[in-house]
Amino acid sequence: SIRRNPGAANAWYLTLMNDTSSTFVEVTRVAVTNSTSAAVTGFPRLFYLYRITTKTGGVNATFAILDTSSPGPTLARIKAAARPTSATTNGPPLSILTINPEEAGTGVPIQDLFNAVGEEPILLRGQQGIGIQQDGTAFTGLVSTMIAFRVRP
C-alpha cells in the first residue's frame, strides 16, 4: 500500500506488474481512501482501476508479507511502483470509484475499487499489471491506495 500522496489530476497512484512468465499473480483487493486536514471545497473525483502493459517512473514499493514463513520465491520479479509518471492501459477500466473530498478534516473510509470476496481474483499473467489512476481534475487532500495480492506457480 502507498499512503498519503497529494492528490493530483491524472495521477497514477500505484501500479503492480508481474514481470515473470513462470508465476501468476492473483489480485484480491484494490482500495482507495482520502484524508483532509481542513474543510475542503471540492467535487467528487473518479478513480479508475486499469489493466496495464507498461509503466514508467515511480518509486519502488515494498511489500508487506502476511505469511512470513512463505518463501516468496518470485516476489523479486513482481514490481510495484508508487506514483509512476505514466502507464499504458490495456482496455477500458475494470472498475471505477467516486470519492468526494469535501469533508471537514476527516476524509473517507477506505473504499474498494475491487474486492474478490465472492468473486474471482484478477489474474495477472507474465508481463501484465494493474494500476490505479485518478481522473483529470485536481484533487484536494491526500490519497492512500492499496493492492492486495497473492503469488502462485
Side-chain angles (χ1 to χ4, degrees):
S1 68
I2 301 303
R3 298 178 298 131
R4 301 173 53 164
N5 280 296
N10 294 310
W12 285 93
Y13 289 101
L14 185 61
T15 59
L16 179 72
M17 290 290 299
N18 182 2
D19 239 7
T20 176
S21 59
S22 61
T23 300
F24 294 101
V25 174
E26 294 179 335
V27 176
T28 56
R29 187 176 183 200
V30 180
V32 178
T33 188
N34 87 295
S35 62
T36 59
S37 59
V40 174
T41 301
F43 299 98
R45 295 282 49 89
L46 294 174
F47 292 83
Y48 303 100
L49 176 62
Y50 283 105
R51 281 192 177 273
I52 61 172
T53 55
T54 60
K55 67 92 186 162
T56 56
V59 177
N60 287 340
T62 55
F63 302 113
I65 299 174
L66 300 179
D67 180 0
T68 56
S69 65
S70 173
T74 59
L75 277 183
R77 297 182 71 183
I78 310 296
K79 306 295 184 198
R83 291 305 292 263
T85 52
S86 67
T88 303
T89 60
N90 183 10
L94 298 173
S95 179
I96 301 171
L97 171 69
T98 301
I99 291 181
N100 188 350
E102 194 167 314
E103 298 295 334
T106 57
V108 176
I110 194 161
Q111 301 290 312
D112 287 336
L113 259 167
F114 175 80
N115 194 327
V117 172
E119 303 292 334
E120 292 293 318
I122 298 170
L123 183 64
L124 302 178
R125 292 179 170 83
Q127 309 308 314
Q128 294 180 342
I130 60 169
I132 303 167
Q133 184 185 34
Q134 183 188 309
D135 68 5
T137 305
F139 188 93
T140 304
L142 302 172
V143 176
S144 296
T145 55
M146 182 268 296
I147 298 174
F149 67 95
R150 59 183 168 244
V151 178
R152 67 176 176 87

